[in-house]
Amino acid sequence: MDIKNVTVAGSGVLGYQIAFQAAFKGFKVIIYDINDEVIERAKAKFNNLRESYKKDINATDEQLDQTYSNLSYTSDLAASVADADLLVEAVPENVNIKLEFYEKLSKVAPEKTIFVSNSSTLVPSTFAEATGRPTRFLNLHFANLIWIHNTAEVMGHPGTDPKIYDEIVDFAKALGMVIIPLQKEQPGYILNTLLVPLFTSAANLVSKNITDHESIDKTWMVGTGAPLGPIAILDIIGIKTAYNIIKMNGEVSKNQELLDLADYLQENFIDKGKLGTSTGEGFYKYPNPAYQEKDFLK
Ligand code: NAD
């Protein structure tokens, strides 16, 4: 693998985690964001990761000091990619923002730089032409809390060079990721293709008063041996995120049942500040949700 210098564009929820994990694994990482104010905020977030890495994966202070020394920052796009082997794009999930970003980037990045997008819902063929290097472009999708939820879904578009695809697989392995290869473009990759219908069906059963949330999770946990049920997972993903996905799917497919479900989540949860684990209450109350009680499955 020829990748040594990595630039991460966007220091938001996912970008700073990707940058930190790459630096932790020994890559030289430059973080690019739109202005110095955003970058200063990102630096503060990086400091918080020290404790998480120690607690969750037993990282040592030496490893973490080395990690910080591998990180640098700039709001100058051309400077950020001047010697980049790889650019990881983690800018907002908006087609126009990403298109405009790739158009600017393609003008300043050297020929050698491979581009990958961390987009959760947009397939790479949408941006392939705008990158100016379609053969050296694909999606590499990480999960939130990358250091513990270490999946890397790798998805090319029809024009991606297979050698570049393999190089990105090697890079993701070097980051300590479990590789999830896709042979074709699939909106939602593997995880969300499975998860979205599951939590949508579960929430629908509650909204239509067919059963209660605890019975749904019990059914799933006893019936499949899974450690969590779909409603518990929904609280972790966050009701707002689930609402956005369900509402968008309802609008795209003109499906009234989904739109009604979105309204139900809005009125019964979002309007009441019950957004899931992040606010201490969603379908369950936290800490100590009912599904963790020892008699829950009896
Ligand atoms: P975010 O809104 O938290 O962060 C986006 C960052 O991009 C911000 O720091 C913003 O200042 C910066 N930005 C805005 N315009 C920019 C531009 N033109 N050039 C460079 N930077 C710009 O977003 P996020 O949640 O980190 O999502 C980023 C990408 O990662 C999206 O494509 C999203 O689908 C994907 N993703 C998100 C998650 C998640 O759980 N949040 C998980 C997997 C993948």
Side-chain angles (χ1 to χ4, degrees), residues 65-98:
D65 291 344
Q66 185 59 47
T67 304
Y68 289 101
S69 74
N70 285 338
L71 288 170
S72 52
Y73 309 82
T74 181
S75 54
D76 177 338
L77 182 60
S80 79
V81 288
D83 194 23
D85 301 309
L86 173 67
L87 175 125
V88 181
E89 173 267 304
V91 311
E93 190 71 348
N94 172 299
V95 175
N96 290 331
I97 293 180
K98 285 192 195 287

Side-chain angles (χ1 to χ4, degrees), residues 9-15 32-34 38 89-93 97-98 101 104 117-121 141-144:
S11 62
V13 176
L14 252 281
Y32 162 76
D33 211 312
I34 41 176
V38 183
E89 173 267 304
V91 311
E93 190 71 348
I97 293 180
K98 285 192 195 287
F101 172 75
K104 274 194 212 146
S117 175
N118 182 49
S119 174
S120 293
T121 60
H141 181 241
F142 298 100
N144 195 10

